[in-house]
Amino acid sequence: MKIDIKILATAIFLVVLMISCDEAMESREPSGNDQSVPSAVSNVQVTNLPGKALFTYSVPEDKNLLFIKAEYQLPSGKSREVTASFYKDSLLVEGFIDTLEHEVKIYSVSRNNVESAPFVVTVKPLEAPVWKVFKSLEVQNTFGGFNVSANNPDEEEVSIYIMKRNAFNQFDVDNRMSVFTSEDDILAKIRGLDTLAYDFRIFVKDKWGNSTDTVAQVVEPIFETQLDPVGFRAFVLPGDAPQVPNGARLEYAWDNRLGWPWTSFTHQVNGGPEPHIITFDMGVEAKLSRLWIRAYPELNPQQFYFLTSLRKFEVWGSVSPNLSGALDESWTLLGSYEVEKPSGTSYGQDSALDREVASAGWDFEVDLDAPKIRYIRIRCLENWAGGTAQSINELRIYGDPR
C-alpha cells in the first residue's frame, strides 16, 4: 500500500495544530460546581490621568480565574463596571469629572462567577478633558454668524452644546449649531444668521454624561454682502503674469459666465516659473469676509483638479499699492489657502463627488483681523499640474463695503 507523503504530512500538521490550539486557548469555561474563591490581584499600581485612572497589577496564578473586574461610582452617582481578561494586567477606569478621591474595588472572578475579596484602591484623577475644552472656549463674531473654538489636547469625544430661546422664552439645545468632535483643535463656523443680537447659553458635555457649567454668550454677526463686480477693473502691475494669448482675459474672472473663453488664464511660458500673480481693483474699499472661486473644468468628463486650476495660493490686499509691483508693506496677506480633492484620487481622475464639490465653487475666508482693502492680488504657488500658472473661471468677493 502506497502512502501519499503530502497527505500524511498535512494530517500530522493539523493534529499538532489542534493540540496546540487547545493548550493555547486554555479554556476557562465553567467546570463542575467549583465554588472556590479565586486569589485577589497583587502589586496594584495606580496612574492618575485626565478624568480617568489606569491600574496595573499582577494577575494571580489561579487556573480557576476568568477575568478581573473593577467597580466604582462616578460623581453623578452612576455605578460603573469594567473588566479585563486574565491575559491582561491592566484596567482603565474612566468618566470622572472632578479631581477628588474616589474608591475603586478590584475583584478576581472565577469560571463559576465566584468573586474574590475586593482589593480597594483610591484614585485621584487629573482635570477632566471636558473642563479643558470648557476653559478654552472662545466665541468670535464673524460675517453672517460666529466661530466657536476650543482646545481638546486629550482628543476625547466632547459635545459643545449651544442653546437658544424657544417660543416659550426657554433655552433649548440647537443641534444644528452644536459641535460634536474629538479633534484636538476645535473650530466650528456657524453661518446663516442675520445681523441681530443673539442670546445663547453654552456648555460642554462628555460621552459619560458629565456636563460643565453653562455660560451666557451674546453673538452679533457682522454684515456681509457680495461686492458688485461692475466696479472691478484689471490693475496690472510690474511682475504680474500675462494672460494666455488666445482670448482669455482677467476681466472674465468676474463676468458671471462659465466656460471658454470667459476665463482668466495666465501663461506659464511667458509668465516664467515663479508664482504667477494677478492684480485687480474692486473700485471700493471694503472689509472682506471671503472669496468664492470656481475653477475652469478641462476635458470631458470635466476635470476641475487639473492643469492650471489653483491648488496652493495666497490672497493679498491693499488700499494704496506700491506701483513697482513689489509685495512690500503696502500689501497685507489676507490668507493662504489650499484646495483639497475630496476623493483623494490620483491626478486627472476626478470622481463624481469631486466634480460636484468643485462645480459649486469654494469659499476661502479672509482673516477677520485684516484691514479694509481695495486692491487684490492672487498669487499662485502651485497649480494641479505642478506649475505656477493660474486659471479662474469665476470669482465673487464678499464683505462689508460700508
Side-chain angles (χ1 to χ4, degrees):
M1 179 177 67
K2 292 184 177 180
I3 298 177
D4 190 318
I5 300 300
K6 290 184 178 180
I7 294 177
L8 179 60
T10 302
I12 293 172
F13 172 76
L14 291 175
V15 171
V16 172
L17 181 63
M18 292 174 64
I19 294 173
S20 299
C21 286
D22 286 342
E23 292 177 350
M25 289 299 292
E26 201 177 342
S27 176
R28 296 292 174 110
E29 293 300 317
S31 177
N33 295 312
D34 186 354
Q35 296 297 308
S36 61
V37 178
S39 303
V41 297
S42 59
N43 301 320
V44 178
Q45 301 293 321
V46 180
T47 303
N48 292 312
L49 302 168
K52 62 188 77 171
L54 176 68
F55 296 112
T56 57
Y57 46 80
S58 296
V59 179
E61 294 183 5
D62 189 334
K63 286 195 173 183
N64 199 33
L65 181 66
L66 183 60
F67 61 89
I68 307 298
K69 177 178 71 172
E71 291 181 347
Y72 59 104
Q73 192 174 64
L74 295 177
S76 63
K78 183 178 180 180
S79 296
R80 280 191 52 78
E81 178 183 296
V82 293
T83 61
S85 79
F86 60 88
Y87 289 112
K88 293 186 63 178
D89 64 354
S90 63
L91 268 172
L92 185 68
V93 291
E94 304 178 89
F96 299 102
I97 194 173
D98 59 35
T99 56
L100 303 177
E101 291 186 343
H102 297 274
E103 187 178 272
V104 179
K105 295 178 180 179
I106 305 176
Y107 299 87
S108 297
V109 184
S110 74
R111 289 180 288 172
N112 286 289
N113 206 34
V114 178
E115 297 179 353
S116 69
F119 191 109
V120 181
V121 184
T122 299
V123 301
K124 196 175 187 300
L126 306 181
E127 184 179 55
V130 70
W131 284 112
K132 296 177 184 178
V133 175
F134 178 76
K135 291 177 180 178
S136 64
L137 269 177
E138 290 188 4
V139 177
Q140 183 180 36
N141 295 325
T142 188
F143 292 91
F146 61 100
N147 294 341
V148 177
S149 62
N151 298 320
N152 182 20
D154 300 298
E155 298 185 0
E156 292 284 348
E157 292 180 27
V158 295
S159 303
I160 301 175
Y161 285 107
I162 298 176
M163 299 188 293
K164 66 180 183 181
R165 294 185 186 276
N166 58 23
F168 303 100
N169 205 32
Q170 299 172 328
F171 284 96
D172 281 339
V173 169
D174 187 327
N175 285 320
R176 293 173 300 176
M177 292 185 182
S178 299
V179 184
F180 310 93
T181 182
S182 60
E183 293 186 1
D184 54 351
D185 291 318
I186 300 171
L187 176 60
K189 300 176 181 180
I190 292 85
R191 298 292 183 268
L193 301 179
D194 199 353
T195 52
L196 306 172
Y198 297 86
D199 188 15
F200 294 126
R201 298 291 183 271
I202 304 175
F203 68 96
V204 185
K205 193 173 184 178
D206 64 19
K207 64 181 178 181
W208 313 107
N210 297 312
S211 297
T212 64
D213 301 329
T214 300
V215 295
Q217 179 70 51
V218 175
V219 168
E220 298 180 87
I222 304 170
F223 174 78
E224 179 191 65
T225 188
Q226 182 183 345
L227 274 61
D228 190 350
V230 170
F232 293 7
R233 296 287 185 273
F235 192 76
V236 181
L237 292 173
D240 283 5
Q243 298 285 298
V244 294
N246 57 346
R249 297 174 55 192
L250 178 55
E251 291 84 354
Y252 288 157
W254 52 77
D255 67 353
N256 203 31
R257 293 183 291 182
L258 300 177
W260 179 260
W262 302 289
T263 300
S264 167
F265 275 97
T266 64
H267 194 234
Q268 187 71 66
V269 176
N270 294 335
E274 294 301 312
H276 281 207
I277 298 175
I278 59 171
T279 309
F280 60 95
D281 176 5
M282 299 187 300
V284 63
E285 286 189 21
K287 183 172 177 60
L288 303 192
S289 58
R290 58 191 169 98
L291 284 77
W292 175 88
I293 294 177
R294 186 185 191 270
Y296 174 75
E298 301 273 359
L299 305 179
N300 188 20
Q302 293 179 323
Q303 303 294 313
F304 287 91
Y305 309 80
F306 200 62
L307 295 181
T308 56
S309 292
L310 293 165
R311 185 173 187 176
K312 297 178 182 180
F313 64 100
E314 299 170 342
V315 177
W316 295 75
S318 175
V319 289
S320 181
N322 188 332
L323 299 182
S324 71
L327 272 175
D328 55 16
E329 64 278 357
S330 67
W331 291 94
T332 299
L333 180 63
L334 304 181
S336 298
Y337 310 100
E338 180 174 359
V339 176
E340 295 185 356
K341 192 176 185 181
S343 70
T345 53
S346 58
Y347 178 69
Q349 301 290 321
D350 288 11
S351 69
L353 174 61
D354 294 333
R355 288 190 285 271
E356 179 183 351
V357 171
S359 62
W362 300 283
D363 277 316
F364 301 101
E365 294 192 0
V366 172
D367 185 348
L368 275 173
D369 296 327
K372 295 181 73 171
I373 57 100
R374 172 169 172 167
Y375 301 88
I376 287 183
R377 303 191 91 177
I378 299 177
R379 183 171 182 256
C380 179
L381 305 177
E382 182 184 342
N383 59 35
W384 282 89
T388 55
Q390 60 170 290
S391 59
I392 298 175
N393 198 171
E394 200 61 31
L395 166 77
R396 296 172 192 161
I397 301 176
Y398 296 83
D400 186 354
R402 298 176 302 176

